[in-house]
Amino acid sequence: MKRKRSSTRVNSNTPINCNALGNRDHPWLQFADFEAKYTKRLESLWPCRHLILASRRLDLAALDTVGQGARWSRMMTNPWRQLFRVHEVQYVELVMEFCSTFKFDYPCQNLKDKKAVKFRMGGKCKQILVERFAELLGIYTPEEIRASSFTEGITEFPSEHVKNQFWFEQGVRFYDPSCMTATSLRDPLLRIVHRCLVYSISARGHGDTVVNIRELFYLYCLVQPHTCNLAHTIAWYFLTSSGRDVSSAVCGGHLVTLIAKSSGLLTDEVLGSLTAVGETKVMTIATLKHMKIVTKTSVGLRLIDRWKRVWDPDRPEPDPDRVQGIEGPGTRSESPHQWGESVKLPTTAREQFAFLITEQRRYWAWDYECRTLQAAATSTQVQYPRPYFMQPPPQPPLQPLVDHLQQPQVGDLGSTDLDVR
């Protein structure tokens, strides 16, 4: 009987774990006495070398398979398109040297500052403009760097109102950066874009996580569209990511390799002394199936929305209070029901108590969202969009239920209908 050969599949999203990874005695990792601050930073970053995350890029053939290639092309500008195409190998010594010495004068209102971006690469310190940094990244053409759109590109949301309004157009419920995940996005193509952001310039290795403010800003620039200074954004990314904590992952190594290639640093002799830790992976149609946003139709594979319907931007969303059998994350499950209808009382004391607590929590969630939106609209003096849960809710009819609970309980109550109108 043949023994079945065991195989181990390595998840490309997990950090690379190797105890003997990299060469600490490499010449690029040796600093002079006056660079003691870099030595201290490297000592804290060196244990994180096994947490270097492998980046990913999207296979555009997968978008053509689901009929979204044209929409993707209209959404992407040239810098974004070049960023999502980066396919480079990462090197431990190169990433450690760059991340331990990188500095950025954030928020850098003056893009003409010659010392806005500072780092050391190949043993040489560099102090360059943001424009030069964009040129080294290779995602901008010289014409795009000289254009006024580069210096006038936005780097954050214009206001809090714009951020909330954009989320109501593209997501569900009120935006909370601590709990709103990518599954709350209505458009499945935006979920694909979000996953590309997570794997490239968002310092995380898995896709369906919360949509933080920076990622929402990137989606805002792509959808509206608004010109974003991508070089400034990537500099901020290196400043706030790449092993800033002991347990945090090191990200952006593929971009560091891109900068080194543009500088003419990676010769054959140099590559022989560096430790490679993997190249950029590719997201194929299998990734889209794993995200559960693809279904098979009569015309081939197509994207589906949160309600498992073939995606149609002009189709109205179903109302879970009126349409049966349609459920999904972020729906109106926490909103109060129609209080004018008859309420069916539970049969046991425990069920009655749970029912009371549940209805009160539903009302509190509704009231909190309404008050938050009204405050945001008042502060900006702009007519705020009214989502479906903005109808003024009456006080929930809990008093009849409380009076009923205070009555003597003799045996089972049975099934009773209490009209609260």
Side-chain angles (χ1 to χ4, degrees), residues 89-103:
V89 180
Q90 303 181 71
Y91 301 96
V92 175
E93 294 80 6
L94 184 64
V95 173
M96 292 291 106
E97 180 193 22
F98 181 87
C99 294
S100 60
T101 59
F102 184 83
K103 289 185 177 182

Side-chain angles (χ1 to χ4, degrees), residues 343-359 401 404-405 409 412-416:
V343 180
K344 188 175 181 180
L345 291 178
T347 56
T348 63
R350 176 174 294 182
E351 292 177 355
Q352 292 169 2
F353 180 76
F355 178 81
L356 176 66
I357 298 301
T358 300
E359 296 305 320
L401 181 60
H404 177 77
L405 293 176
Q409 304 292 328
D412 291 336
L413 295 177
S415 179
T416 306

Side-chain angles (χ1 to χ4, degrees), residues 197 201 216 276 352 381 390:
L197 292 171
I201 57 172
L216 187 63
Q352 292 169 2
Q381 302 297 326
M390 280 291 291

Side-chain angles (χ1 to χ4, degrees), residues 69 202 300 417:
S202 193
D417 288 339

Side-chain angles (χ1 to χ4, degrees), residues 73-308:
S73 300
R74 291 192 301 267
M75 183 182 299
M76 295 295 158
T77 59
N78 182 65
W80 285 106
R81 193 179 296 111
Q82 296 299 327
L83 175 64
F84 290 149
R85 286 178 180 175
V86 176
H87 186 268
E88 299 291 346
V89 180
Q90 303 181 71
Y91 301 96
V92 175
E93 294 80 6
L94 184 64
V95 173
M96 292 291 106
E97 180 193 22
F98 181 87
C99 294
S100 60
T101 59
F102 184 83
K103 289 185 177 182
F104 178 52
D105 188 17
Y106 183 82
C108 190
Q109 302 294 341
N110 182 18
L111 297 181
K112 300 297 182 180
D113 185 5
K114 296 183 179 180
K115 298 181 180 180
V117 181
K118 303 176 184 178
F119 59 90
R120 202 184 85 160
M121 180 171 286
K124 297 181 180 179
C125 296
K126 299 180 181 294
Q127 299 179 356
I128 58 177
L129 296 164
V130 176
E131 296 178 353
R132 175 57 180 166
F133 185 68
E135 183 180 349
L136 292 176
L137 286 172
I139 58 177
Y140 283 92
T141 63
E143 293 76 13
E144 291 173 340
I145 294 177
R146 290 192 297 265
S148 60
S149 59
F150 181 84
T151 56
E152 297 174 358
I154 61 176
T155 57
E156 59 184 5
F157 277 108
S159 65
E160 189 74 10
H161 167 70
V162 173
K163 180 190 70 176
N164 292 332
Q165 185 176 11
F166 174 73
W167 176 258
F168 279 121
E169 295 173 356
Q170 306 298 334
V172 296
R173 300 190 59 199
F174 181 74
Y175 176 68
D176 185 354
S178 63
C179 63
M180 282 301 171
T181 62
T183 56
S184 300
L185 294 168
R186 294 188 178 97
D187 191 345
L189 182 60
L190 291 187
R191 287 189 57 188
I192 299 176
V193 176
H194 176 263
R195 177 156 291 205
C196 293
L197 292 171
V198 168
Y199 287 144
S200 57
I201 57 172
S202 193
R204 283 180 289 175
H206 44 93
D208 286 333
T209 54
V210 295
V211 182
N212 59 36
I213 297 179
R214 295 298 299 186
E215 294 162 359
L216 187 63
F217 167 72
Y218 300 148
L219 295 176
Y220 169 76
C221 295
L222 290 169
V223 173
Q224 287 304 324
H226 287 283
T227 304
C228 170
N229 192 318
L230 202 51
H232 185 286
T233 297
I234 294 177
W236 179 90
Y237 165 69
F238 280 121
L239 181 66
T240 57
S241 308
S242 302
R244 294 295 166 178
D245 298 329
V246 177
S247 60
S248 64
V250 180
C251 310
H254 61 300
L255 299 176
V256 177
T257 304
L258 197 63
I259 296 174
K261 280 189 174 182
S262 300
S263 304
L265 186 63
L266 299 182
T267 62
D268 294 339
E269 182 180 357
V270 170
L271 291 177
S273 63
L274 301 179
T275 306
V277 291
E279 59 182 351
T280 304
K281 306 299 180 180
V282 180
M283 292 186 293
T284 61
I285 192 66
T287 306
L288 306 185
K289 292 180 179 180
H290 178 73
M291 295 170 63
K292 299 181 180 180
I293 58 174
V294 176
T295 188
K296 189 175 182 180
T297 64
S298 58
V299 294
L301 295 177
R302 289 295 180 266
L303 295 182
I304 56 177
D305 57 15
R306 301 173 59 255
W307 295 275
K308 308 303 179 184

